[in-house]
Each structure stands twice: as structure tokens, then as C-alpha cells.
Amino acid sequence: MPLQLGQDVVLFGGTGDLVMRKLLPALYHLHCDAMLGPDVSIIGIAREDINTDRYREIAQEQCRRFLETDFNEARWQAFAARIQYRPIDARDPASFAALAECLGEVARRSQVYYLSTAPALFTSICRHLHETGLITPASRVVLEKPLGHDLASSREINDEVGRYFAEEQIYRIDHYLGKESVQNLLALRFGNALFEPLWRREWISDVQITVAEQIGVEQRAEFYDKTGSLRDMVQNHLLQLLCIVAMEPPASIDADAVRDEKLKILRALRPIPTDEVPLRTVRGQYRAGASSGQPVAGYLDEPGVAPASRTETFVALQANIDTWRWADVPFFLRTGKRMQERVAEIVINFRAVPHSIFGKRTKGLNNNRLVITMQPDESVKLHLQAKRPGDEMVLNPVSLDLDFAEGTHPRRLEAYERLLMDVMRGNLTLFVRRDEQEAAWKWVEPIMSSWNESGDAPKPYTAGTWGPAASTALLGREGFHWQEEL
Ligand code: BG6
């Protein structure tokens, strides 16, 4: 049997969407895989004045939807017996007594405090945990993004949380790092001798990172309208993915070895000067259109969005990394809501062969491409040229599937499941260190201020498309094309 995890998990924001959609289902899977020790409790915390029975009912109803066919009544009942609920107001220190009472008997064990709340509450939660004597050297705290809305506010949160937890106790989550194919990219890059010599400017022409969503802002308008795509996706997920692609080989897979290398990349990102921001970035906002064949409203008509909002729902930009390895290799990043397809992928485009001996006998493009797909399904594919069977020498594109997870594990772990397991095991490798996070804010800040100062509205795009035409032009100017335009 695998080593069982022994910490209690306290979920602040316990009635929220993330807990119901991701965290409880992830814990349920860990329970079903016999990964949770017999005494592990899961304690939901929120302001709602309900009791544990009602919370279990709500959790069952919600998680059943998200677990789909993985939901099993009998297993759920056994899992639900671990769940407790305590109504606590994060701003009211007195109400933390209820948590202390609940953790009472287990106070000698370590706890994982998962803060899935508005970041404005992080500091008061940590302070009250401390004042109630609920933080021990074995406690861990998980911080959900966004951590602040700029460098100064993220520093403030980090300073405050840092007063109660040491950096090794702080798990800043970026769920993109928990995706199986992202870890497979690490395995491919550093577990094979084949890629490393090619993984550089001499052989790679450009890198494209796309996280396109079909959904709009859904019920999160209040949060999203203050945040926008640059803060919601680029500052964290996309820059973390860029780091995994671009970092130098770390000396080991240990947390700090990996995070040191990622940090070097973030620090080597060429700052985009204010006057180049309009040239190197595109921000867009969706207008009414269609998604999966159904008409959908424009961003400005979504309930909860300010009528003249300038918040971007789409970003495309060109990043450059000033190192020997990556000099002159553009990294194109793009993310948006209400786009044509739901796709998250990293595309590594290799240069063309220096001279083609086959003349016109090739079909399609002959550049090699490595495509790491995180959504809708996870896969890693290497696109090559091969001879078409037959008497003629005609080349055809073929793709090699480099993803063997299917054969070796019966079920792929969901990103949150993997990351929760890492928190409980005390493995920080896939979590973001404070200096990384601050370096990422430092890089995106001039973009934010240039957009604010320019007074220009985001470029409109029709819902259900690949974003504003300016996004195609961004690459076109440099002689490149987005993957789907090839
Ligand atoms: C979250 C963002 O971090 O990532 C959301 O706040 C976004 O706006 C989500 O929808 C995307 O995650 P995934 O795993 O569904 O691609």
C-alpha cells in the first residue's frame, strides 16, 4: 500500500466553487485510492450558518455533478464521514475558537490550511490561526491565486503570511503545474538525451503557449472585472509554463533546484518598454457571438460587469528571454475567454531543415513541432515528416505520441489531486516560491500601467473566434503564425 497521507485538511472558502468543483473531488479520489490515513479529517470553513450534516448534503450534491461517473454512493458515504463543517467568519477572531475545538484532539498532528478565499482574507485568516494557537512548525498553508493585484499588494500579502508561516510551509498553488502533460514535459526534457541539444535557439524558431477557454466570465464577473486576463492567467499560469519550457536543466528535481531555474528565466524576461507595449501586446474583449453553436452575450452585457468596463478578456503578447539559449526566439503567449475552442497547449516550433532535398514532394509544412496539450485532453505529440508508403518518394506529416501515461496508470491524476498530495507529502517542487511570483509581477506591471495610461479600449473580438485580428498581426509582423492558422 502507498504511504498514506496523515494531515487534516482545513478548507477555508468551504462552500465556494473551487472547493466543490476541484478540492473535495480531489480528496474523494485520494480517499478512494486509499491514500488518506484513517484519521484524516476534512474541515470545511465558511460564513454560512449551517451544520456538518447540511454541509455534507451540499457537498454530495455538488461533487456528484463534478465527479460524474467516478461518483459511487457507498464510497462517498465513507468519504463524507471524514467531513466536518464549522461556520467561521474569517474577520472575527472569536469564531476561530470553533476550529480550535474541532481540531482539538488532533492538535498534535499537522494540518493543511487551504485558503480558497478572496486574497483580502488571507492575512486575517493567518493572523487568527496564529492567535488561536493553531499554527505549528508542521502546519502548511496553501494559497490560491491571485496573490494580490500587483507587485506591491502581493508583497504585502507575502509579508503578512510570512509573519506566521516560514517560506517552506507556504504552498502557492498554480494548478497548471499539476497537469500531467506539464510534468511529462519535464520528464521529456530532462529524462532524455535526445531533446537537450535541440532545445535552443539554433533549432527552435518560436514557442507558442495558448490557453483558450470557451467559457465566458460565468458567475465570477465581480472578481473578473477587477482582474482581467493578464492578472488572472498570464502573470501566473502562462509565465509558469514558459518557465518550464525555457529553464536550464536543474541539478535535481528538488523544489529549490527547480525553482531557482524558473526564477532565472523570469528575471531574464526582457522588460517590454512602455512605448513598445502596443506593438508587443494585444488586449481584447469579447462581444456577442456564439459558443458551441449557441448565441452568447458580449462581455459588457454580462451581469455584474461595469457598463464601460475596459477589462481585457483576451491577451496575446510576445515575450523574449535574454539568455544565450533563447536569444531571438520569440515566446508568443495567448489566453482568452469565449474563444473558438477550449484548448491549452504549448507548441515548440523547430526550424526548417537547412536545405530540402525533396523539392516539391512534401505535403504541408515540413517543420518539426512538439505539441504539449493540456486541454481538452492531455497529450504530447511530436510532429515529423515520413515517407508516404508507395513507390514514390513523397513526404507526409506524421505524429508520434510521446505520452505513455495511459498504459502505466489506470487513471490520470487531476491537477488539484496531484498538488494536494504534494502539499500533504511536503513536496514544494510544483509550487511557486515568493521570489518567482514577485518577479512575474515585476514583468507584467509595465504592461498593466501602459494599458491604463494609454486610455485605449481593448480590441473587440466576436465570442467564438480566436481573438482580435491584431493577435494574428502580432505574429505576422515577425513572420510567424499561430498554430491553428498553419
Ligand atoms: C483559473 C482562472 O486560474 O484558471 C480562471 O482564474 C480560468 O479564470 C481557470 O478559467 C482555467 O483553468 P483550467 O484548468 O480549466 O484551464
Side-chain angles (χ1 to χ4, degrees), residues 145-342:
K145 59 167 272 286
L147 234 79
H149 54 271
D150 56 11
L151 180 59
S153 54
S154 96
R155 277 190 178 142
E156 245 170 67
I157 296 175
N158 280 323
D159 281 347
E160 192 68 19
V161 174
R163 290 175 59 187
Y164 308 111
F165 291 94
E167 181 64 25
E168 314 74 67
Q169 294 176 280
I170 304 177
Y171 291 70
R172 294 180 193 82
I173 213 155
D174 189 305
H175 75 277
Y176 267 71
L177 295 183
K179 296 195 186 254
E180 190 72 30
S181 44
V182 174
Q183 289 161 62
N184 203 359
L185 176 58
L186 284 174
L188 282 176
R189 278 199 66 193
F190 304 123
N192 298 287
L194 197 64
F195 291 105
E196 172 54 23
L198 306 179
W199 209 261
R200 56 193 64 249
R201 63 189 302 277
E202 287 80 0
W203 295 104
I204 291 178
S205 63
D206 64 299
V207 175
Q208 302 183 8
I209 303 179
T210 296
V211 179
E213 298 185 272
Q214 274 188 318
I215 54 170
V217 285
E218 300 190 298
Q219 283 77 43
R220 297 164 76 223
E222 200 206 328
F223 155 78
Y224 195 86
D225 206 35
K226 286 194 279 233
T227 307
S229 211
L230 188 71
R231 289 184 174 98
D232 187 40
M233 299 293 288
V234 178
Q235 186 273 344
N236 33 70
H237 304 320
L238 276 83
L239 287 183
Q240 282 293 323
L241 294 175
L242 173 144
C243 287
I244 300 283
V245 174
M247 70 182 183
E248 294 297 314
S252 73
I253 192 75
D254 289 349
D256 279 336
V258 171
R259 300 188 304 174
D260 286 348
E261 295 307 333
K262 287 198 288 159
L263 178 65
K264 286 184 203 159
I265 293 297
L266 290 165
R267 289 189 172 155
L269 279 172
R270 186 184 306 160
I272 305 185
T274 315
D275 58 335
E276 280 188 29
V277 168
L279 204 66
R280 301 267 167 247
T281 70
V282 176
R283 60 171 178 156
Q285 194 186 65
Y286 63 81
R287 297 286 178 263
S291 177
S292 310
Q294 297 300 314
V296 291
Y299 180 70
L300 296 179
D301 297 320
E302 300 274 16
V305 168
S309 171
R310 294 192 163 187
T311 301
E312 76 285 356
T313 60
F314 173 95
V315 177
L317 58 82
Q318 177 185 337
N320 282 86
I321 302 169
D322 285 335
T323 60
W324 275 37
R325 188 187 285 268
W326 296 116
D328 301 327
V329 178
F331 281 68
F332 297 110
L333 312 188
R334 167 178 67 161
T335 181
K337 300 233 179 250
R338 284 282 184 239
M339 295 189 66
Q340 188 160 324
E341 278 171 34
R342 175 174 183 246

